[in-house]
């Protein structure tokens, strides 16, 4: 990306202009809540599908907010007089946020989208024109260095990130800067990197317009911009994880063969983490013929790290190719060209014996003592979950520590309580004396469901922290006429599973 391409963006050397623009946007209710009030739910939802006609209809009025929506979200030229009523026009033009067009109109140079922060903050995500999800054109740009706004992947990563206060955070492949913006709430220092200098510039704009502290911005791929002696308490990345033949689009195509970019990112993260630090990524991975996908991912985990890997979705290679060809807008062009690109994707997958592609989350946590045996959990969970999940992720690793420190004897001596909002379901034929099986189901976090036997259900049901696990099992043994020693021998595995999955927690 040449420096000349950066000249088309607002200046990062005019922080006072960004501050004045921010104040004006908030005063005009150009916020997530303000948009919903102005547009109404149907038009607001249509923007998320990149359909702008309902929003155009809703902004026919002459209110300041309607003018801002047309200017920054719908990329429509707006008469100078209307803009001057709500924005400091001269400052916005001088600093490059607006340009004069036509006879007496103004146009935005970037897409600005209101974004509600987790603490009720009024934030703004900057992206290239037509490339904010919910902006005028949606995604689909074929320009190599285009910088996208907020999409589902961005918000997913922001939602699963552990949000404990930290000294240092690294946003790898920052894009429009949403992860750096979130990290600025709980990290003393934020470093953001990207191979695309345009993305770094736009990240600076996002932070400035959102009123967040500036980040340390560095150009380069993966961990290249990070010095050898630098480590972090938190690393996050929504990398260009698309597995494609070649690297046409910087924002999504990794440029390495197959899933090598994601593997390299995960493997190199371990040595960059401080003790107890987290590294959290979104990733794609190949399902290769004759290979267990879970074993493939276990091999990625660096030494000295616990890991929790969740596969959220799997697509066969045809679905995957079609998804990303449409993302680039190839289906709207020359039919022969589209078919040739489709064929090239399938050739690449066939050469690598790839039958499907998985998508999901990878979380690493740097373990403490060197002699600690890391715990690696790889699972498939395509079902709905509750966002944000950061506390759930942190609690998972706390349970990992607890179970690692407690053998079966210690579990039987411990006191547990059933986690709040856990319900029990009994499945069986109508009128049957006993259920065929019992299911425990969570209504929070991962919203898991797990089958337990009648002993496990009875045990969980009376766990209120009063009695030790062993005492509860002795009582159950007496009730059902079973040998208490045998019950104590066989039940710890089930207790361990219920703790691991978050149905039971140690009593405080």
């Amino acid at each position: 990306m040449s420096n000349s391409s950066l000249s088309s963006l607002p200046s990062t050397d005019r922080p006072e202009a960004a501050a004045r623009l921010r104040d004006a946007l908030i005063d005009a209710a150009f916020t997530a809540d303000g948009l919903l009030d102005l547009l109404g739910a149907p038009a607001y939802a249509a923007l998320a599908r990149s359909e702008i006609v309902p929003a155009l209809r809703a902004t026919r009025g002459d209110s300041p907010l309607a003018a801002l929506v047309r200017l920054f979200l719908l990329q429509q030229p707006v008469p100078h007089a209307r803009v001057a009523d709500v924005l400091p026009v001269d400052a916005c033009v001088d600093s490059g946020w607006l340009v004069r067009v036509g006879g007496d109109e103004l146009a935005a140079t970037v897409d600005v989208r209101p974004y509600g922060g987790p603490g009720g903050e009024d934030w703004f995500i900057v992206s290239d024109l037509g490339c904010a999800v919910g902006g005028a054109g949606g995604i689909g740009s074929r320009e190599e260095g285009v910088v996208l706004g907020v999409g589902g992947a961005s918000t997913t990563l922001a939602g699963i990130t552990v949000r404990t206060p930290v000294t240092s955070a690294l946003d790898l492949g920052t894009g429009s800067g949403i992860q750096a913006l979130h990290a600025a709430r709980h990290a003393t220092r934020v470093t953001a990197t990207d191979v695309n200098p345009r993305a770094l510039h736009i990240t600076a704009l996002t932070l400035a317009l959102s009123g967040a502290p500036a980040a340390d911005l560095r150009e380069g791929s993966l961990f290249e911009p990070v010095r050898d002696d630098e480590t972090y308490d938190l690393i996050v990345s929504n990398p260009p994880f698309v597995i494609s033949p070649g690297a046409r689009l910087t924002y999504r195509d990794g440029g390495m063969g197959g899933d090598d970019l994601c593997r390299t990112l995960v493997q190199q993260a371990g040595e960059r983490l401080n003790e107890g630090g987290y590294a959290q990524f979104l990733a794609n991975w190949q399902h290769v013929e004759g290979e267990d996908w879970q074993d493939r991912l276990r091999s990625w985990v660096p030494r000295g790290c616990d890991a929790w890997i969740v596969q959220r979705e799997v697509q066969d290679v045809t679905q995957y190719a079609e998804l990303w060809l449409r993302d680039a807008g190839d289906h709207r062009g020359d039919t022969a060209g589209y078919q040739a690109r489709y064929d090239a994707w399938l050739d690449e997958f066939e050469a690598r014996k790839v039958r499907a592609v998985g998508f999901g989350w990878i979380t690493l946590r740097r373990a403490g003592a060197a002699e600690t045996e890391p715990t690696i959990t790889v699972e498939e969970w395509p079902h709905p979950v509750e966002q944000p999940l950061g506390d759930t992720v942190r609690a998972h690793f706390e349970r990992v520590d607890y179970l690692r420190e407690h053998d079966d004897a210690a579990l039987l001596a411990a006191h547990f309580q059933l986690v709040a909002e856990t319900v029990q379901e009994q499945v069986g034929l109508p009128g049957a004396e006993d259920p065929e099986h019992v299911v425990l189901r969570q209504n929070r976090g991962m919203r898991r469901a797990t089958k337990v036997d009648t002993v496990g259900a009875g045990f969980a049901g009376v766990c209120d922290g009063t009695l030790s696990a062993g005492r509860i099992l002795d009582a159950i043994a007496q009730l059902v006429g079973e040998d208490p020693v045998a019950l104590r021998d066989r039940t710890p595995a089930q207790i361990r599973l219920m703790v691991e999955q978050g149905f039971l927690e140690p009593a405080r």
Side-chain angles (χ1 to χ4, degrees):
M1 184 66 58
S2 65
N3 289 333
S4 62
S5 66
L6 301 182
S7 64
S8 64
L9 296 173
S11 171
T12 56
D13 298 327
R14 299 285 301 275
E16 73 287 350
R20 291 182 64 189
L21 174 57
R22 170 180 169 78
D23 290 343
L25 294 177
I26 292 175
D27 287 346
F30 188 69
T31 63
D33 290 340
L35 284 186
L36 183 59
D37 289 342
L38 173 69
L39 301 180
Y44 191 81
L47 275 180
R49 303 190 300 270
S50 301
E51 296 290 348
I52 67 169
V53 172
L56 287 170
R57 292 173 62 87
T59 54
R60 288 173 176 172
D62 58 1
S63 72
L65 181 55
L68 293 178
V69 172
R70 283 183 167 253
L71 189 66
F72 286 114
L73 275 187
L74 306 181
Q75 282 99 59
Q76 304 293 308
V78 177
H80 183 285
R82 287 195 64 192
V83 181
D85 286 341
V86 61
L87 295 182
V89 169
D90 290 342
C92 289
V93 171
D94 291 345
S95 58
W97 290 95
L98 301 177
V99 292
R100 294 183 170 90
V101 296
D104 191 30
E105 293 184 316
L106 293 164
T109 59
V110 288
D111 199 323
V112 176
R113 180 176 176 83
Y115 180 83
E121 302 91 348
D122 289 316
W123 288 342
F124 301 94
I125 307 299
V126 180
S127 63
D128 275 315
L129 290 173
C131 294
V133 176
I139 12 188
S141 173
R142 302 186 192 188
E143 296 183 25
E144 177 193 356
V146 71
V147 179
L148 302 187
V150 178
S154 301
T155 55
T156 293
L157 179 59
I160 68 173
T161 300
V162 177
R163 297 296 176 192
T164 53
V166 295
T167 299
S168 56
L170 172 64
D171 176 14
L172 213 99
T174 187
S176 60
I178 180 175
Q179 308 305 330
L181 183 57
H182 276 278
R185 292 186 74 245
H186 63 105
T188 305
R189 299 191 311 274
V190 177
T191 301
T193 72
D194 205 290
V195 71
N196 182 2
R198 188 177 185 87
L200 296 175
H201 192 105
I202 284 180
T203 290
L205 298 175
T206 289
L207 295 172
L209 196 57
S210 298
D216 179 2
L217 304 176
R218 305 182 191 180
E219 182 181 344
S221 177
L222 299 179
F223 289 99
E224 287 176 2
V226 179
R227 297 192 305 270
D228 290 342
D229 61 344
E230 288 182 301
T231 55
Y232 299 87
D233 303 310
L234 175 67
I235 299 172
V236 293
S237 183
N238 177 18
F241 52 64
V242 176
I243 300 171
S244 61
R248 266 200 310 156
L249 301 175
T250 303
Y251 72 85
R252 67 166 212 194
D253 298 325
M256 295 186 184
D259 53 16
D260 282 354
L261 182 134
C262 290
R263 175 185 56 79
T264 301
L265 178 62
V266 173
Q267 289 180 336
Q268 292 181 353
E271 62 185 8
R272 297 298 183 178
L273 281 176
N274 292 325
E275 182 178 327
Y278 290 91
Q280 299 187 258
F281 315 106
L282 301 185
N284 277 178
W285 43 78
Q286 299 172 149
H287 285 229
V288 178
E289 182 179 341
E291 177 183 85
D292 187 314
W293 68 270
Q294 294 185 331
D295 289 342
R296 182 181 190 85
L297 290 173
R298 287 189 184 94
S299 73
W300 291 9
V301 177
R303 294 185 62 181
C305 288
D306 297 317
W308 184 21
I309 302 172
V310 183
Q311 180 167 273
R312 296 287 291 158
E313 184 180 0
V314 181
Q315 291 183 320
D316 67 48
V317 292
T318 59
Q319 292 174 309
Y320 189 81
E322 290 163 16
L323 170 67
W324 294 110
L325 287 169
R326 289 178 177 274
D327 171 81
D330 291 321
H331 63 297
R332 295 194 296 265
D334 171 54
T335 300
Y338 170 78
Q339 292 177 346
R341 286 197 175 99
Y342 197 152
D343 204 37
W345 282 61
L346 296 185
D347 282 345
E348 179 83 1
F349 286 133
E350 185 175 342
R352 294 179 176 275
K353 297 183 179 181
V354 176
R355 296 295 175 256
V357 177
F359 167 81
W361 319 324
I362 298 176
T363 299
L364 307 178
R365 199 262 316 251
R366 188 76 187 178
E371 66 274 8
T372 299
E373 182 67 27
T375 298
I376 301 175
T377 302
V378 184
E379 62 177 319
E380 185 165 20
W381 189 253
H383 310 294
V385 299
E386 180 189 41
Q387 283 279 30
L389 265 179
D391 287 345
T392 299
V393 173
R394 177 180 50 78
H396 167 87
F397 288 96
E398 289 176 349
R399 294 193 299 271
V400 164
D401 288 340
Y402 179 86
L403 292 173
R404 188 155 47 202
E405 295 164 0
H406 288 72
D407 59 16
D408 287 356
L411 283 184
L412 292 174
H415 294 237
F416 298 98
Q417 57 193 27
L418 190 65
V419 172
E421 298 195 44
T422 298
V423 298
Q424 177 179 303
E425 301 173 358
Q426 299 189 53
V427 181
L429 295 174
E433 183 176 346
D434 296 313
E436 292 180 11
H437 58 262
V438 178
V439 175
L440 297 181
R441 188 178 300 277
Q442 301 167 344
N443 286 323
R444 302 295 302 274
M446 291 293 286
R447 293 177 173 159
R448 294 186 185 277
T450 188
K451 289 183 182 180
V452 293
D453 60 21
T454 53
V455 170
F459 178 87
V462 298
C463 276
D464 61 3
T466 305
L467 298 175
S468 69
R471 291 282 302 277
I472 293 174
L473 289 179
D474 290 344
I476 292 175
Q478 185 175 10
L479 184 65
V480 300
E482 187 168 341
D483 179 6
V485 175
L487 195 61
R488 279 175 172 256
D489 284 345
R490 68 177 176 86
T491 307
Q494 193 167 192
I495 297 173
R496 191 172 292 276
L497 179 64
M498 288 190 285
V499 172
E500 178 185 335
Q501 295 191 341
F503 292 97
L504 295 176
E505 60 185 3
R508 298 291 187 252

